Amino acid sequence: MTEIKILKNILDENRHRADDNRQVFNKHGILALNFIASPGAGKTTLLEKTIFGLKDRLNFAVIEGDITGDYDARRLAALGIPVVQINTEGGCHLDAGMVHRAYQDFRLDKVDILAVENVGNLVCPAEFDLGEAFKVVVLSVPEGDDKPAKYPLIFSEAGAVIFSKIDLLKAVNFGLDKARADVRRINREAPIFELSAATGQGMGEWLEWLSGKVESMKGDEAG
Amino acid sequence: MHELAITQSLIKIALAKAEEAGALRIKKINLQIGRLTGYVPEAVEMNFRMMTPGTRAEGAELDIQWVPVRCRCRECGTEYRSEELDLTCPQCGVLSGQIIDGREMFIDSMEIDN
Ligand SMILES: Nc1nc2c(ncn2[C@@H]2O[C@H](COP(=O)(O)OP(=O)(O)OP(=O)(O)O)[C@@H](O)[C@H]2O)c(=O)[nH]1
Ligand SMILES: [Mg+2]
Ligand SMILES: [Zn+2]
C-alpha cells in the first residue's frame, strides 16, 4: 500500500469556472450580483422593484435559479428585460457552470447589471462562487433576528446585506439592533440596508448605493 | 443536495489521481474539511457508496479531519480560534479578524494499492 499526496480543493473546478465568468463580466463592464436568501424572503419582489426603479438609467439582465418552474422568470420578464431561467431539478444552489451556460443568451454589451437570483437557501450557495462581483444576502424580518448568528458563513461573505419586509418589523418583533450587531461581528464592511419592497420604504438608499457601484466600476474601467 | 455536487467532484479528482498513480484500488481518502463548510459527512458517504461501484474507489474509506475556525487580527496579528464565527479580536476587542481556516474542502491524500 502506498500513500499519495493530493492536496486538491474539491471545489476547484467550480472556482475556475467562476473566475472565467468574472473575467467575462469585467470585460463587458457588467456588475454581477448573486442574490441569496431563504425561500420566500422577497428576492424576486426586491429584484422587480430594483429593476423598476433603475431601468431608465441602467440595463438589467436576470438569471433565475429555481429548483423547478419558471414563475419568477415570468414575473421579471414582464418588466421587459432579458431573463433566463435555470432549473436545478432538486439541486440546492447554482454553480458557475450553470451561470456560464445561462448568460450565453444575453447580449452582454448591453448589460450593466446581471442579477442572479440563487435558489432559496442560506447554506449551500455560500460554497459556490458564480463569478459575481459580490453577494447580496437578503434576510426578511419574519425569519427572525437570530439568522445572522445561525448562518454566519453566508453573512460573512456578503458584499451587501438587506433586511427586507421591514414593514412587518413591529408584527414580528425583529430586533434590528441585535441583527445589525451580529452582522457586524462577522462582516466588517458590508453595508446593511433596511427596506420594504412592498411599501418602498428604504428603497431609495439601496438604489442609490447600487447605481453608485455601477458607476464606480465603469469609472475604474475608463481610468 | 449539494453533497451530490461535492461527492461528484471528490470522486472525479480521486479517480484521476488514482489513474495517474497507476493504482488498482483506492483504500482510503483523507479529507480536510473546515468547520465552516456545510459538509454533511453522512450524506457524502451515502452518495459515495452509490456512485463508486465498479470503479477503483469502490469500498474506499473516507476519513475526515475537521479543521477548526481560525481568524487573524488585521490590527495586531493575533491568531485565535473562533468557535462561533466571531471576528472580534480577543486582544484588541475590535472587529478586525480575517478568516484564515475553517473553509477548506480538501483531499489531502489517498492510500492506494498498486
Ligand atoms: N409585507 C411584505 N411582503 C413582501 C415584501 N416583499 C415580498 N413580500 C411577499 O413575500 C412573499 C415572497 O416574495 P418573493 O419575492 O416571491 O420571495 P422570493 O425570495 O423570491 O421567493 P422564492 O424565489 O420562492 O424563494 C410574497 O408573498 C411577497 O408578496 C415586503 O417588502 N413586505
Ligand atoms: Mg423568487
Ligand atoms: Zn488584535
Side-chain angles (χ1 to χ4, degrees):
Chain A
M1 193 172 69
T2 332
E3 174 161 334
I4 54 172
K5 269 286 168 197
I6 309 283
L7 287 179
K8 201 162 156 59
N9 194 318
I10 298 173
L11 297 175
D12 260 359
E13 196 170 307
N14 186 69
R15 206 163 291 177
H16 292 146
R17 291 212 174 124
D19 288 341
D20 291 346
N21 289 349
R22 194 168 281 114
Q23 269 188 11
V24 171
F25 300 147
N26 285 342
K27 194 176 103 199
H28 291 91
I30 296 171
L31 185 72
L33 307 173
N34 182 0
F35 283 81
I36 298 174
S38 304
K43 299 176 288 296
T44 308
T45 311
L46 174 66
L47 278 175
E48 286 172 328
K49 295 298 162 71
T50 302
I51 292 164
F52 187 78
L54 292 176
K55 73 175 175 169
D56 294 339
R57 286 192 269 163
L58 296 169
N59 296 312
F60 283 83
V62 176
I63 296 176
E64 269 297 327
D66 282 295
I67 289 176
T68 184
D70 65 350
Y71 307 97
D72 287 356
R74 276 188 278 161
R75 280 168 65 184
L76 290 158
L79 293 167
I81 53 152
V83 182
V84 170
Q85 175 78 52
I86 301 176
N87 281 143
T88 59
E89 309 300 346
C92 52
H93 62 275
L94 295 178
D95 65 37
M98 296 175 191
V99 167
H100 176 86
R101 286 191 292 282
Y103 67 70
Q104 306 306 319
D105 287 357
F106 297 135
R107 297 188 54 189
L108 294 178
D109 288 329
K110 299 240 150 87
V111 177
D112 300 309
I113 297 185
L114 173 63
V116 181
E117 179 177 337
N118 218 313
V119 179
N121 185 336
L122 284 177
V123 182
C124 314
E127 235 101 56
F128 292 82
D129 185 1
L130 305 179
E132 70 271 2
F134 55 86
K135 296 177 171 62
V136 180
V137 178
V138 183
L139 169 63
S140 64
V141 299
E143 294 168 66
D145 54 22
D146 56 352
K147 294 305 169 291
K150 283 188 173 168
Y151 301 92
L153 182 59
I154 193 65
F155 285 92
S156 78
E157 294 245 303
V161 173
I162 292 180
F163 296 154
S164 67
K165 307 192 189 179
I166 206 83
D167 54 296
L168 301 177
L169 195 59
K170 288 263 153 50
V172 297
N173 219 342
F174 182 92
L176 265 183
D177 290 340
K178 173 188 163 40
R180 264 195 233 115
D182 282 349
V183 170
R184 269 298 157 259
R185 233 160 29 98
I186 47 189
N187 188 322
R188 195 157 78 145
E189 276 104 22
I192 302 171
F193 298 95
E194 293 148 19
L195 57 80
S196 164
T199 68
Q201 181 193 342
M203 281 296 293
E205 219 177 306
W206 155 247
L207 295 182
E208 274 325 300
W209 181 81
L210 191 57
S211 48
K213 281 280 165 193
V214 176
E215 269 159 42
S216 64
M217 184 195 56
K218 305 245 180 213
D220 286 352
E221 244 170 61
Chain B
M1 263 316 275
H2 89 279
E3 276 66 34
L4 194 62
I6 288 169
T7 317
Q8 275 166 346
S9 332
L10 182 137
I11 294 170
K12 196 168 157 188
I13 296 168
L15 290 178
K17 293 288 176 181
E19 184 160 359
E20 248 176 69
L24 295 173
R25 216 167 224 345
I26 303 171
K27 307 279 286 183
K28 190 171 165 198
I29 304 177
N30 295 310
L31 304 168
Q32 280 189 15
I33 310 291
R35 282 278 178 207
L36 274 180
T37 64
Y39 187 96
V40 184
E42 298 75 20
V44 174
E45 186 83 28
M46 195 181 80
N47 287 321
F48 190 85
R49 298 295 153 234
M50 277 176 359
M51 292 159 71
T52 47
T55 72
R56 296 176 222 229
E58 182 170 359
E61 182 190 339
L62 295 178
D63 186 78
I64 300 173
Q65 193 195 336
W66 290 99
V67 183
V69 183
R70 291 186 64 81
C71 295
R72 181 187 296 119
C73 174
R74 287 184 250 214
E75 309 294 335
C76 72
T78 301
E79 291 188 7
Y80 53 96
R81 249 175 102 138
S82 175
E83 290 311 332
E84 310 220 324
L85 180 57
D86 182 347
L87 302 184
T88 316
C89 170
Q91 207 69 29
C92 316
V94 293
L95 286 162
S96 48
Q98 267 179 309
I99 302 168
I100 49 174
D101 292 329
R103 303 220 43 188
E104 15 315 81
M105 237 193 249
F106 267 103
I107 304 186
D108 177 64
S109 60
M110 296 197 308
E111 288 170 22
I112 54 173
D113 274 343
N114 41 6

